[in-house]
Amino acid sequence: MLDNDYQIARAFLGLKEDMPPAFYRKLLTLDDPQGARLPRVFELSQEIFDALRPQLTLADLTSFIQAYQRTSSLTNAELWALPSMLRLVCIERLFFAFSAIEADLAHRYVLPRHGKRRHLRPC
């Protein structure tokens, strides 16, 4: 991870540029049991990552989104945010994998629980 920290920093910078606060606030949210309001597209991205890993292909992603939209339509903003949210989920999962190896890494971040998942927030 340390050898590729510049890649992670670049990914975070891209997220910051692609998801300005005003845009982020416009995304539809879902309540979780602890009262957090997370974007619906973030939760969807987690489900996509879980269902399609280890390899996420465009065809599989398209099929997943089409199946989801049979029951609930995504907004244009959510579709626009989807690549960024998938990137965020990948970064989170990478962080948690490394923190399992290096416990000290997890102590530098607040890791609140949201249901079964943990979301990364710097202290």
Side-chain angles (χ1 to χ4, degrees), residues 33-115:
Q34 285 77 28
R37 296 189 56 80
L38 298 171
R40 178 174 73 157
V41 69
F42 179 73
E43 294 293 333
L44 177 62
S45 296
Q46 296 233 5
E47 295 299 324
I48 289 169
F49 189 88
D50 291 341
L52 301 181
R53 72 175 180 202
Q55 185 168 349
L56 197 143
T57 66
L58 181 58
D60 290 339
L61 179 60
T62 302
S63 295
F64 194 99
I65 296 299
Q66 287 173 339
Y68 182 86
Q69 291 204 97
R70 284 188 203 108
T71 59
S72 183
S73 295
L74 294 169
T75 66
N76 284 336
E78 288 174 314
L79 291 170
W80 186 264
L82 186 62
S84 295
M85 290 295 182
L86 285 168
R87 194 173 301 119
L88 178 59
V89 169
C90 288
I91 292 169
E92 273 195 349
R93 300 294 173 90
L94 181 64
F95 171 80
F96 290 120
F98 279 106
S99 66
I101 297 168
E102 177 57 51
D104 184 53
L105 185 61
H107 297 295
R108 295 183 221 156
Y109 292 85
V110 177
L111 301 172
R113 287 217 174 257
H114 295 289

